Amino acid sequence: MASFIEDYALLSDMNTGALVSRAGSIDWFCAPRFDSGAVFTALLGDREDGRWLLAPLESVNPSPVEEVRTERSYRENTFVLQTVWHVGDASVRITDFMPLAGGTSIVRNVEGLTGEVTMLQELNLRFDNGKTTPWATRYEGPIDPATGQPDEDQSMLVGMAGPHALVFRGSPMPEGQYGNHTDTFTVSAGQNFVFSLSYFASNHNPPAPIDYATSLTYALDQWSEWSGLYVNELPEESAQEPEAETGQTPTGNDPAETEISAVRTLPADAGVGGVAASSQQNLRSQDDAAAGVPEIENSNTQALEIDSETYHELVQTSVQPIVPSTPEEIQTQSDDTYREARLRSLLVLRALISRETGGLVGAITTSLPETIGGRRNWDYRFAWLRDVAMAMDVTLVHGHERETAQLRNWILRALANNPRRPHAVYGVAGEKDDLDRRLNLPGYEGSQPVRSGNGSDDSFQGDALGQVLVTFANLRDNGVGEDHLSWPLQKALLNAAADRIGQPDRSIWEIMGDPAVFTHSQVMLWAAFNAGVSAVEEHGMAGDAVLWSECRDTVAREILTRGYNAELNSFVQTYDGFTVDVSLLQLAQVGFVSWDDPRMLGTVEQIEKQLQHPSGMIRRYINRNGFDGFEDQDPPHFAASLWLAEQYIRSGREAEGRRLLDTVLEAANDLGLMSSEYDFDSNRMTGNFPHSLAHIALIRVVEALGI
């Protein structure tokens, strides 16, 4: 059985990733890309579906005499994991990492610290998501003239099946056959045992052995160099020009090196999130957007009367005034704690961006259930236009020019498929893949189905289109010029948006129920047109600003008429509705209303009443009558809760924002990683892991605090 989701640590080589459990088992590893078939699949099954266990024998067969304890952490600002095992008075340290210089490998080093510890190593090799067991062959090392025996340090075990192959190196070599290999060995203080596993195409020779010290040093340097680019913005009154960045010497091995020229040097005061600080000043306010558009009082009375009894059972309608927090009320975690959480989240984004293609995956896993035993199981090893655009905003703010260029160019390549029919989701390289396959695996704690592929990518989502255009507006406002490809593609998106006004879709959440006209989707169309108008009027781009302005005002009129419920003083989930969902928190993020607009504050109150868990975290929406195509209700959502925390902070409720941020940080695991949801009934994470959208949202919250 797999470990709890929160018990896993992420390893990454910026092209794929692996999950190591607290028990010392690598239960998930896709090679050579994030979206490749899994080599280790025990996460969605058991040991027979592939894993690599390396842990004290006492941890697997507990002794009544020896106590076993573990401590783990990343080496500062890296994804080099160190786990110290204490077995009675003895101890060992295991260092796990993925080299960053060529190939796809995992390296594990066992170092004796005190006493003697007997270690168990179990290597179960699989391909094709656990379906294929490779033929394994052991190759002895050359004969040592001094002993007349093969050199064990140069032995290797090669597992091969069709196009795939793995080579395992290390001494002692585990014994076994047919891909299942097990061994025990004793580690004494001062001893080191290094093991490595590398993927390669079976029509090639095995890659050369990995030099542990060299590859570890390079990995530490690369991760630390990237995190060292972090721009810690000073308060406005003491802001200074940032120093020139260092450590960016091209190696010639990274495809992204050729893309840096697409992004100019950006100022340190670039905005955060969906709209830059300067861009927010340029966006028309909601009142301006609706100039000349009369508000219709009680426009949703008929919709309320249809189901008012049910509504009043769901929420109370009394309105409490919003009182800004005072400094005396703000007594939560230290600013340093928040900065560290932000830096870890930035590192997670770098770990989930493909160095080869520039695509950001939603997570490295598939089919981890949003509700244990339920059917809300999706493949997150894909790139969402929305997430990539949001990630580009935060890399822009923090001085990561290369990653900003990678993300930008990935979006352009993906949209070039057909910008008049953009999808919400693309493959890691920007390809279209609308096949949703079922894998013959037991599923995480029996949760079915287990999926490979994401069938949602053929559906139009207004939020994806809008977020892309908002982000490109943000780039323009921060000095990033358009090129021969970027602006024509944006114009094609705007033409596509003009055809989608008032059209039903499946919302930002890609529901499986009936399509509807979601207010948030229409607001994102408004944001798209607004970005188009500003491109022409403020940046001199060629385009039909008159048409886009008319479209913008038409959408604004419909949103204020049908997407806002005057009786509730709240925007609503769908036109003419009376319920809310958390996507409405993005209305202020994209500038449709201000953070402290009374209608926005009223929407926040309805979100608190309808969606908030006693912990303070919130659900995405209430699944009334199977609205989203499923019978159950999913747990509170990490990213949604962080959106609410940002709203609190930016509307003067800093104490509440900090408290909610603290709750989220407590729900994250000990390494600062978050999945998509948290089930407070069982005190467990649920959903795919680690979730890029949650980490993007955390970065935004800390930026809102101005630290």
Side-chain angles (χ1 to χ4, degrees):
M1 174 180 166
S3 297
F4 287 176
I5 294 169
E6 59 266 28
D7 285 338
Y8 285 99
L10 171 67
L11 307 179
S12 172
D13 66 358
M14 304 183 193
N15 275 323
T16 188
L19 294 181
V20 188
S21 74
R22 194 184 295 275
S25 181
I26 300 180
D27 290 341
W28 185 255
F29 173 47
C30 296
R33 295 197 336 178
F34 290 113
D35 56 352
S36 299
V39 171
F40 299 131
T41 326
L43 180 67
L44 300 176
D46 56 32
R47 60 197 293 185
E48 293 303 316
D49 296 302
R51 71 168 182 173
W52 182 6
L53 174 69
L54 186 59
L57 182 62
E58 295 283 358
S59 69
V60 180
N61 300 309
S63 165
V65 178
E66 302 289 359
E67 179 187 5
V68 179
R69 297 178 293 109
T70 63
E71 303 166 359
R72 66 176 184 174
S73 63
Y74 287 121
R75 290 186 63 165
E76 185 177 4
N77 301 340
T78 72
F79 280 101
V80 176
L81 179 70
Q82 293 189 323
T83 305
V84 176
W85 291 86
H86 299 273
V87 182
D89 295 331
S91 60
V92 297
R93 176 167 53 219
I94 298 179
T95 300
D96 295 320
F97 72 100
M98 297 184 70
L100 298 180
T104 304
S105 303
I106 301 174
V107 178
R108 314 190 77 178
N109 176 51
V110 184
E111 177 186 0
L113 300 179
T114 60
E116 288 188 349
V117 177
T118 300
M119 301 294 294
L120 170 66
Q121 180 160 227
E122 180 182 297
L123 181 66
N124 297 333
L125 303 177
R126 301 292 185 269
F127 290 116
D128 302 322
N129 304 304
K131 182 173 63 177
T132 304
T133 300
W135 183 270
T137 304
R138 178 168 176 168
Y139 296 90
E140 303 292 352
I143 299 298
D144 185 340
T147 65
Q149 300 296 320
D151 184 351
E152 290 189 358
D153 291 337
Q154 298 189 51
S155 305
M156 62 182 179
L157 178 69
V158 176
M160 184 179 301
H164 308 295
L166 292 162
V167 57
F168 176 87
R169 291 186 172 96
S171 178
M173 185 78 67
E175 301 292 336
Q177 58 182 342
Y178 306 122
N180 299 316
H181 304 266
T182 305
D183 192 22
T184 60
F185 58 97
T186 300
V187 181
S188 301
Q191 286 187 301
N192 275 65
F193 295 83
V194 179
F195 305 95
S196 67
L197 183 72
S198 300
Y199 175 89
F200 66 103
S202 62
N203 60 314
H204 293 171
N205 293 325
I210 295 171
D211 183 288
Y212 173 73
T214 301
S215 61
L216 175 62
T217 299
Y218 186 75
L220 291 170
D221 288 347
Q222 289 296 298
W223 285 116
S224 297
E225 176 187 323
W226 193 86
S227 60
L229 293 176
Y230 162 65
V231 178
N232 187 10
E233 296 179 357
L234 298 172
E236 184 175 345
E237 61 271 15
S238 60
Q240 300 175 356
E241 290 294 324
E243 296 180 358
E245 296 177 357
T246 60
Q248 289 286 341
T249 303
T251 64
N253 297 322
D254 191 339
E257 298 286 359
T258 61
E259 300 182 346
I260 299 177
S261 60
V263 175
R264 301 176 186 173
T265 301
L266 305 175
D269 63 348
V272 297
V275 183
S278 59
S279 177
Q280 287 184 6
Q281 295 173 0
N282 293 328
L283 287 173
R284 290 187 1 155
S285 69
Q286 184 273 341
D287 291 330
D288 291 338
V293 180
E295 293 191 30
I296 301 178
E297 297 184 0
N298 301 321
S299 61
N300 290 309
T301 302
Q302 183 176 2
L304 281 168
E305 291 176 351
I306 293 174
D307 202 11
S308 61
E309 181 177 352
T310 303
Y311 169 73
H312 288 292
E313 289 176 355
L314 182 65
V315 298
Q316 298 176 354
T317 57
S318 60
V319 177
Q320 299 297 324
I322 303 299
V323 180
S325 307
T326 64
E328 293 76 17
E329 295 174 318
I330 303 171
Q331 297 177 352
T332 53
Q333 295 288 339
S334 70
D335 287 353
D336 285 343
T337 298
Y338 297 145
R339 291 189 189 99
E340 291 170 4
R342 171 175 56 190
L343 182 51
R344 177 52 58 185
S345 290
L346 284 164
L347 283 162
V348 169
L349 290 190
R350 175 59 270 187
L352 300 183
I353 296 172
S354 169
R355 182 168 46 178
E356 178 184 349
T357 71
L360 168 75
V361 293
I364 72 165
T365 59
T366 179
S367 304
L368 290 182
E370 296 178 1
T371 54
I372 302 298
R375 297 188 299 112
R376 302 171 187 271
N377 314 326
W378 313 109
D379 192 344
Y380 272 26
R381 300 171 300 165
F382 286 79
W384 274 256
L385 280 178
R386 172 201 63 229
D387 297 0
V388 175
M390 287 182 168
M392 190 165 28
D393 287 323
V394 299
T395 58
L396 173 72
V397 169
H398 291 91
H400 297 292
E401 295 181 22
R402 178 172 57 187
E403 283 68 29
T404 301
Q406 279 188 296
L407 295 165
R408 172 187 181 274
N409 291 348
W410 180 91
I411 285 179
L412 295 177
R413 292 194 300 270
L415 289 175
N417 276 306
N418 186 347
R420 291 300 301 263
R421 293 183 59 85
H423 294 174
V425 188
Y426 293 85
V428 178
E431 65 270 43
K432 294 185 291 185
D433 179 7
D434 57 0
L435 296 179
D436 190 343
R437 312 162 188 86
R438 300 295 185 271
L439 301 179
N440 186 26
L441 286 164
Y444 184 85
E445 297 193 18
S447 303
Q448 287 286 333
V450 176
R451 303 175 186 271
S452 176
N454 191 306
S456 67
D457 80 331
D458 62 349
S459 62
F460 175 86
Q461 303 298 143
D463 73 290
L465 185 152
Q467 187 62 59
V468 167
L469 288 167
V470 165
T471 295
F472 273 88
N474 194 13
L475 291 175
R476 284 192 297 272
D477 288 338
N478 286 282
V480 180
E482 303 289 359
D483 57 29
H484 65 284
L485 182 62
S486 62
W487 179 240
L489 284 175
Q490 290 174 70
K491 289 198 293 184
L493 288 179
L494 286 161
N495 291 333
D499 296 334
R500 303 286 183 165
I501 296 175
Q503 187 172 111
D505 68 7
R506 298 188 183 276
S507 86
I508 184 176
W509 309 121
E510 298 163 17
I511 63 167
M512 302 298 288
D514 294 334
V517 182
F518 288 89
T519 300
H520 169 258
S521 296
Q522 296 301 304
V523 167
M524 296 308 291
L525 292 183
W526 173 90
F529 295 126
N530 198 59
V533 172
S534 70
V536 175
E537 295 182 350
E538 299 171 23
H539 296 278
M541 307 304 296
D544 194 343
V546 174
L547 172 63
W548 299 335
S549 179
E550 291 173 352
C551 289
R552 177 184 60 185
D553 294 345
T554 296
V555 176
R557 182 182 299 108
E558 291 188 358
I559 292 169
L560 292 173
T561 303
R562 303 184 62 191
Y564 172 73
N565 187 307
E567 182 172 328
L568 299 180
N569 185 33
S570 174
F571 292 98
V572 286
Q573 181 181 41
T574 58
Y575 276 7
D576 304 322
F578 53 85
T579 59
V580 295
D581 81 24
V582 296
S583 65
L584 297 171
L585 291 171
Q586 292 195 321
L587 271 61
Q589 292 182 17
V590 299
F592 186 76
V593 290
S594 63
W595 299 94
D596 58 354
D597 186 292
R599 291 162 293 191
M600 192 67 220
L601 300 183
T603 303
V604 169
E605 183 173 4
Q606 291 300 320
I607 287 173
E608 291 170 331
K609 290 178 177 180
Q610 298 185 32
L611 306 179
Q612 198 158 37
H613 183 270
S615 66
M617 290 180 64
I618 55 175
R619 298 177 173 87
R620 294 177 296 173
Y621 49 80
I622 296 298
N623 185 31
R624 303 177 65 221
N625 303 317
F627 151 81
D628 67 357
F630 297 94
E631 300 81 17
D632 55 353
Q633 174 67 53
D634 62 334
H637 193 263
F638 277 105
S641 301
L642 289 162
W643 292 346
L644 179 59
E646 181 182 4
Q647 169 64 36
Y648 283 158
I649 293 165
R650 294 192 183 278
S651 62
R653 300 170 64 180
E654 185 174 332
E656 290 98 324
R658 284 179 175 252
R659 281 195 290 270
L660 182 50
L661 175 57
D662 290 346
T663 299
V664 169
L665 292 178
E666 289 170 4
N669 77 0
D670 56 312
L671 299 172
L673 306 179
M674 294 177 285
S675 64
S676 57
E677 282 118 342
Y678 192 88
D679 185 348
F680 283 93
D681 292 336
S682 59
N683 289 319
R684 295 177 57 183
M685 284 188 189
T686 62
N688 285 298
F689 176 85
H691 191 203
S692 58
L693 186 61
H695 287 279
I696 292 169
L698 188 146
I699 296 166
R700 288 184 56 105
V701 175
V702 180
E703 292 298 335
L705 289 170
I707 58 177

